Amino acid sequence: MASIVINGPPAPGLRFPLTLKREFVIGRSVFCDIVLNKRSISREHARILEQEGSYYLEDLGSANGTSVNGRRVRDRVQLNDCDRINMYDVPMTFCLFDDSKPPSSGTIPTFGDVHHDDGSHQKLQTRLEDLLDIIRRLGSSLNVEIILPKVLEILFHTFPGAMSGEIILVGNDGRMSPHATKHGRDGMVAADVTSVPPDRRMTQQVMETSCGLIDSVGDDSGESALESSFASTMYVPMIGTTGKPLGIIVLETEDPVSRFDEDDLNLVSGVAMIAAQAVSYARAHEKVVEHERTRYQFDIASKIQRRMLPRECPLVPGYQFAHYYRAAQMVGGDAYIYQALSDGRVAIAVADASGKGLPAALRIAEFIAELRHCISTATSLKSAMSYLNQFVCRTDEGFITFCLAILDPKHHTLSIANAGHPPPRLRHADASVISAGSDRVSFPLGVDPDTQFHPITISVHMGDEFVMFTDGVSEAFNSKGEIFGTNRLDDALLVAVDKATARVQQLVASVDHYCRGARQSDDQCIVAMARGAKPPTDAT
């Protein structure tokens, strides 16, 4: 004779024979055939049908659901002897024969229990199917915000008695925060916490030992891990690819007869391991995407910066110009300009903002824009230097070394003002090399707003070469940590060349040869001017 045995509250141990009728409605209503007086049970929760000696179970649209052997009932399910049924949190057993021995109250088998009985093969198969489903579903996404809610949904499906769940991850700052929460069987998975957080002592212990644990408390204590009179809570670490916990999965049931055991802990530990790997892969993917996005943005910035620099050299009869620029990173803080003045003179400038990378590039771009305006409006070289110094001081974002030269091609003179920049070099036609600057050392722009800069004027003779450069050239390091230095730069200038382009190329080759095998540590910029009869050209 078929029967239903209730294994937990509200009627533990009671057996209801399924005779005399072909349909038995189970629910909270007094009009049901089997009455379960509990608030979590719907008025008409489910029904059992008999057809030609076989029995079937249907859920009647209950609020909290029905499961058979750990699987949610969505359509009609045929019942077999000793099947475990959960009307939400009320466990029961379907017995097809009178001599069937259902589990006693308090020893309800949980998901994953495998005993050597007639149903062991089916339970094992169910467990394997669920684990394969977990792997498939978690492997289908590279988004942590999608992966973690999936984990909770899978665990709630696996454990019909689960009432609360949270997944807590360790952030980059070392702090733990919930990334997915679910409270109640019908609650949506969310990212906010609406209840008392898990016991910190337990979570710290799990994080320190990397071992999961179960905290079960009865109603005689008056509290639980989440402040409930009945509670069984699992704390399971999510071990990442580095062997350290990425976070913790917390799962709780409030039904004392559905408390978690070691088999459940082992199962959730497997789920946590799979979830941790999925999170690790997702985070790695996010880093790759972010790296590619940053690289693309820097590539655009590099192109914009190069467009900001002059591509063409000035066309000045009797003079040649050439230039070279190479950033240590994708963008740099060095710059050079040429600017023709209304009276036929030509301004030549080289600047180097403190720092490297994008911050230096942004500061130098702002400075160059102001420099062009200043050159076109200033009444003298000294006043221009004073104005630019005060401009950099106002920005209060670091200093700029700067050298500005004004070429007068009619009188063949150069007026030079230097603000903490490496002094330019002047190579005469007789192969002598001297410093083309004042012996007075001045501060860079942006150090002291009251600094006075004193220009000097030199003559440019036939065959003279004037070379400006940034410290990324003179202070380039080789693999031994030794700098190229001004003396080696002067030696390189002693080599005879026939045009400004060749001079720049020869200087770059000398520095590269000296530093071969060493990573470029600073931006490099060179501007060369030569007085000669050949037409101007460009080294880049």
Side-chain angles (χ1 to χ4, degrees):
M1 178 180 66
S3 61
I4 287 290
V5 178
I6 309 301
N7 298 311
L14 290 184
R15 180 187 292 267
F16 294 90
L18 303 178
T19 58
L20 304 178
K21 296 179 63 176
R22 293 184 178 275
E23 178 178 331
F24 298 85
V25 178
I26 306 172
R28 193 176 73 246
S29 172
V30 296
F31 299 103
C32 292
D33 300 292
I34 300 175
V35 179
L36 300 175
N37 189 16
K38 196 172 184 182
R39 292 182 59 86
S40 60
I41 302 300
S42 298
R43 294 181 62 82
E44 292 186 353
H45 198 102
R47 67 176 178 175
I48 296 177
L49 306 173
E50 186 273 328
Q51 294 180 354
E52 298 180 355
S54 297
Y55 289 84
Y56 300 87
L57 177 68
E58 289 182 351
D59 185 85
L60 298 178
S62 64
N64 294 322
T66 304
S67 64
V68 175
N69 297 325
R71 288 187 172 274
R72 184 76 175 258
V73 174
R74 304 191 184 279
D75 300 311
R76 179 178 294 186
V77 176
Q78 184 174 356
L79 295 175
N80 299 305
D81 190 29
C82 293
D83 275 350
R84 292 181 292 111
I85 302 172
N86 279 78
M87 304 289 179
Y88 184 52
D89 55 352
V90 177
M92 58 189 70
T93 304
F94 172 74
C95 299
L96 189 57
F97 308 104
D98 287 337
D99 58 352
S100 298
K101 296 180 180 181
S104 61
S105 164
T107 59
I108 307 304
T110 58
F111 175 86
D113 285 342
V114 180
H115 304 288
H116 296 289
D117 55 21
D118 293 339
S120 63
H121 178 74
Q122 180 180 354
K123 295 182 180 71
L124 179 59
Q125 182 177 359
T126 299
R127 179 171 181 173
L128 291 175
E129 289 176 354
D130 280 332
L131 286 175
L132 289 174
D133 184 57
I134 290 169
I135 296 173
R136 177 184 60 81
R137 294 176 65 181
L138 294 186
S140 63
S141 176
L142 288 172
N143 187 335
V144 173
E145 303 303 322
I146 296 176
I147 291 172
L148 299 183
K150 280 184 179 181
V151 173
L152 281 187
E153 293 291 357
I154 290 170
L155 291 176
F156 269 65
H157 169 75
T158 303
F159 295 95
M163 285 296 297
S164 178
E166 294 186 10
I167 299 181
I168 307 168
L169 296 184
V170 180
N172 294 329
D173 58 358
R175 296 182 179 181
M176 299 183 64
S177 59
H179 280 246
T181 65
K182 184 175 174 66
H183 302 292
R185 297 298 303 180
D186 293 333
M188 297 295 292
V189 178
D192 60 333
V193 180
T194 57
S195 66
V196 179
D199 191 323
R200 290 185 179 180
R201 177 176 56 86
M202 295 294 183
T203 56
Q204 289 177 355
Q205 180 179 340
V206 171
M207 290 296 293
E208 291 174 359
T209 62
S210 297
C211 296
L213 56 85
I214 299 174
D215 183 28
S216 295
V217 181
D219 60 345
D220 55 340
S221 70
E223 64 176 359
S224 75
L226 296 179
E227 297 189 354
S228 174
S229 58
F230 283 104
S232 180
T233 309
M234 278 192 291
Y235 298 84
V236 182
M238 299 171 60
I239 307 299
T241 55
T242 61
K244 297 181 179 180
L246 298 176
I248 295 177
I249 295 177
V250 182
L251 199 64
E252 182 187 67
T253 177
E254 297 178 357
D255 188 346
V257 298
S258 299
R259 291 178 178 177
F260 302 117
D261 61 17
E262 289 299 321
D263 285 339
D264 300 327
L265 182 62
N266 291 334
L267 173 63
V268 178
S269 296
V271 175
M273 179 184 66
I274 298 170
Q277 290 180 349
V279 170
S280 297
Y281 294 146
R283 286 179 170 178
H285 175 70
E286 289 174 0
K287 289 182 179 179
V288 170
V289 172
E290 182 63 26
H291 175 75
E292 291 299 324
R293 184 184 298 114
T294 301
R295 186 177 182 86
Y296 172 76
Q297 292 172 348
F298 269 95
D299 185 57
I300 296 297
S302 177
K303 292 178 180 178
I304 293 174
Q305 184 180 49
R306 288 196 170 274
R307 287 200 298 267
M308 178 190 72
L309 300 174
R311 292 189 177 186
E312 302 296 331
C313 295
L315 297 176
V316 180
Y319 285 86
Q320 304 171 26
F321 295 85
H323 51 255
Y324 171 82
Y325 178 86
R326 181 169 64 189
Q329 301 178 16
M330 295 191 71
V331 291
D334 288 3
Y336 65 91
I337 71 162
Y338 308 113
Q339 185 161 328
L341 304 181
S342 58
D343 58 2
R345 294 181 299 165
V346 177
I348 313 161
V350 173
D352 181 1
S354 58
K356 300 179 183 66
L358 188 58
L362 292 175
R363 289 203 307 274
I364 205 68
E366 181 183 35
F367 175 74
I368 291 301
E370 194 68 24
L371 170 62
R372 291 189 179 280
H373 171 73
C374 176
I375 290 176
S376 62
T377 58
T379 57
S380 67
L381 182 55
K382 186 174 182 178
S383 65
M385 294 294 290
S386 178
Y387 173 85
L388 292 170
N389 179 50
Q390 292 178 14
F391 169 78
V392 178
C393 286
R394 287 195 301 271
T395 62
D396 194 25
E397 295 176 351
F399 61 87
I400 296 176
T401 67
F402 176 63
C403 186
L404 175 60
I406 305 296
L407 170 66
D408 183 347
K410 294 181 180 178
H411 301 91
H412 302 295
T413 61
L414 267 176
S415 298
I416 306 167
N418 193 319
H421 200 79
R425 316 307 290 172
L426 182 64
R427 182 191 189 278
H428 291 301
D430 62 0
S432 62
V433 178
I434 62 173
S435 173
S438 171
D439 294 334
R440 181 182 300 178
V441 179
S442 63
F443 289 129
L445 302 179
V447 175
D448 180 4
D450 297 325
T451 297
Q452 296 295 314
F453 301 93
H454 303 280
I456 64 168
T457 300
I458 62 174
S459 297
V460 182
H461 302 285
M462 184 65 67
D464 283 354
E465 298 177 25
F466 177 72
V467 179
M468 307 168 75
F469 54 92
T470 59
D471 59 5
V473 176
S474 57
E475 298 179 6
F477 289 92
N478 63 12
S479 57
K480 297 180 181 179
E482 302 166 335
I483 66 171
F484 183 69
T486 305
N487 290 336
R488 290 187 178 85
L489 191 147
D490 289 347
D491 290 342
L493 290 175
L494 293 176
V495 178
V497 296
D498 58 355
K499 54 185 179 181
T501 301
R503 174 60 66 198
V504 170
Q505 292 173 344
Q506 183 256 339
L507 279 178
V508 172
S510 297
V511 173
D512 289 348
H513 177 75
Y514 179 80
C515 299
R516 63 187 182 278
R519 183 177 180 181
Q520 182 181 339
S521 59
D522 200 359
D523 306 324
Q524 296 177 352
C525 180
I526 301 173
V527 174
M529 181 200 73
R531 183 183 174 188
K534 297 185 178 181
T537 185
D538 182 0
T540 58

